[in-house]
Amino acid sequence: MKTFSITDIGKKRKLNQDYVYTSETPVGPLPNLFLVADGMGGHKAGDYASRCAIETIVDYIGRTGDVEPVGILEAAVARANEMVRYKASSDEAYNGMGTTLVAATIEGNRMRVANVGDSRLYVVGSRKINQITRDHSYVEEMVRMGEIRRDQARSHPDKNIITRAVGAEENIAVDFFDVTLQPGDIVLMCSDGLTNMIEDEEIRMILQGKRDLVEKAESLVNAANNNGGKDNIAVVLIDPFGE
């Protein structure tokens, strides 16, 4: 397995509220762990929310006695939700903060994914890019209901309104995905600071056209910034078979 991660403040923001965590080695019972969070809230609250959520998840998984990956991830996200809500209620500066979260762990060719919000996980092959997660956003709900077309969602004025976030509600609903990976696949986890700036097909072409993961990740960030860089950018790349 080969991995590389990077975050960038972008061209418009004064604070980086994206936070990532990667471990190719075991974290508690999990063989590896990859996390991306995109915080939201007032001054410094968003960056605190994303960091708090990820640190809580890593700590929980490191201590858990459970062995089933989905159960571990579900309990860890629930614990992060409790912690973010507790911190928000104990300090007025953090009131209303929350964060997206996408998490993955890989064993052999099997990947388990957890998702809350509109940060994404893709599996990218030589000819196809497949978005595994589904955005928890107002615009995505409109697409599902047939109220707008998929191509209209990208420029919709409400596209930044998310319908689920860690810290938003007392009880958190998490989506889970079970993915079989193929040789040559690259896993991309990212915040919407990337996907709002670059079309999926351009992402695929960049990932297929560059040599190593570092160059691929840096090229994604550069492309997002060249297209406006309107938000923080977080990128985690995983080559599960280390090719």
Side-chain angles (χ1 to χ4, degrees), residues 4-225:
F4 183 74
S5 63
I6 186 172
T7 68
D8 189 89
I9 196 169
K11 290 192 169 183
K12 304 294 184 182
R13 304 290 189 179
K14 295 181 179 179
L15 189 70
N16 192 348
Q17 298 186 328
D18 288 359
Y19 200 82
V20 304
Y21 173 89
T22 66
S23 177
E24 299 175 22
T25 55
V27 178
L30 298 183
N32 43 63
L33 182 62
F34 307 95
L35 304 166
V36 171
D38 178 359
M40 58 189 182
H43 182 62
K44 292 198 174 179
D47 81 314
Y48 184 80
S50 57
R51 179 163 52 89
C52 175
I54 284 185
E55 289 177 350
T56 301
I57 288 168
V58 173
D59 179 71
Y60 178 91
I61 293 174
R63 298 169 182 264
T64 186
D66 198 356
V67 295
E68 200 281 311
V70 171
I72 291 170
L73 290 173
E74 185 170 29
V77 175
R79 178 63 181 143
N81 189 63
E82 292 172 1
M83 184 60 70
V84 171
R85 288 179 62 79
Y86 169 74
K87 294 292 187 181
S89 67
S90 62
D91 189 331
E92 189 174 337
Y94 297 149
N95 186 38
M97 71 178 178
T99 183
T100 69
L101 179 78
V102 60
T105 185
I106 301 171
E107 187 168 11
N109 69 341
R110 190 177 185 187
M111 176 171 63
R112 273 75 166 222
V113 181
N115 181 59
V116 180
D118 63 354
S119 293
R120 295 179 178 178
L121 184 144
Y122 292 86
V123 174
V124 185
S126 60
R127 293 194 173 100
K128 185 177 180 182
I129 179 168
N130 184 22
Q131 181 182 337
I132 302 300
T133 55
R134 290 294 169 259
D135 298 350
H136 301 137
S137 67
Y138 176 65
V139 167
E140 181 65 22
E141 292 297 328
M142 293 174 71
V143 172
R144 290 174 186 168
M145 296 293 290
E147 296 175 12
I148 62 172
R149 299 190 311 272
R150 174 69 61 188
D151 62 325
Q152 294 175 308
R154 190 173 186 83
S155 58
H156 196 280
D158 294 328
K159 66 185 176 66
N160 291 324
I161 299 175
I162 61 174
T163 55
R164 287 192 220 171
V166 176
E169 302 286 345
E170 184 176 353
N171 297 311
I172 188 167
V174 185
D175 284 354
F176 294 96
F177 306 88
D178 196 328
V179 182
T180 300
L181 299 168
Q182 305 294 333
D185 284 345
I186 295 173
V187 177
L188 164 65
M189 302 167 67
C190 60
S191 63
D192 67 346
L194 180 74
T195 53
N196 283 341
M197 295 290 100
I198 314 178
E199 299 279 359
D200 286 5
E201 182 58 20
E202 185 179 354
I203 290 173
R204 187 193 69 80
M205 291 178 66
I206 289 172
L207 291 181
Q208 291 303 315
K210 302 300 179 180
R211 290 171 295 179
D212 58 25
L213 292 186
V214 175
E215 190 174 318
K216 293 175 194 291
E218 290 176 345
S219 295
L220 289 174
V221 170
N222 289 339
N225 279 326

